[in-house]
Amino acid sequence: MITRSVTIEDIDDLYLMWNDHINASALYRRTLREEMEVRDVDPDDLRDLLERARELGHTKEEIVDETNRYADLKTLVEDAEE
């Protein structure tokens, strides 16, 4: 897993400091899942496609270079499996 930097406002930091039981990583992931839902991307299907692409020999960096959306990844995997 890669750790990314996220910029938060002072009020966010203050609130998280007051409520240190809140898992900020979980909030971030939940928001990403909501964004996926808006764009009709099933996270389980995306996870499966990523794993299948890796099994076909693609690194994550290659996948990023060759695709820039869910449909591209699906096509990459399906074309390779034919």
Side-chain angles (χ1 to χ4, degrees):
M1 185 180 320
I2 295 175
T3 302
R4 294 197 180 272
S5 296
V6 176
T7 302
I8 62 172
E9 293 184 40
D10 283 340
I11 60 169
D12 303 329
D13 190 35
L14 175 62
Y15 190 78
L16 287 172
M17 292 173 85
W18 284 342
N19 297 280
D20 61 359
H21 64 282
I22 293 175
N23 182 336
S25 294
L27 293 174
Y28 177 78
R29 288 190 307 277
R30 182 174 32 187
T31 300
L32 286 175
R33 296 306 183 273
E34 289 170 2
E35 286 296 316
M36 288 180 193
E37 184 177 336
V38 166
R39 290 162 177 75
D40 294 323
V41 174
D42 181 318
D44 294 326
D45 190 37
L46 181 58
R47 182 178 291 111
D48 181 56
L49 286 171
L50 177 59
E51 287 306 313
R52 287 168 50 198
R54 286 179 166 164
E55 288 170 2
L56 291 166
H58 295 282
T59 65
K60 188 168 53 172
E61 290 75 20
E62 291 171 340
I63 294 167
V64 169
D65 289 342
E66 296 177 33
T67 66
N68 65 1
R69 59 194 179 111
Y70 175 71
D72 294 342
L73 177 57
K74 193 170 192 172
T75 299
L76 177 76
V77 170
E78 290 172 352
D79 287 352
E81 292 180 338
E82 289 181 352

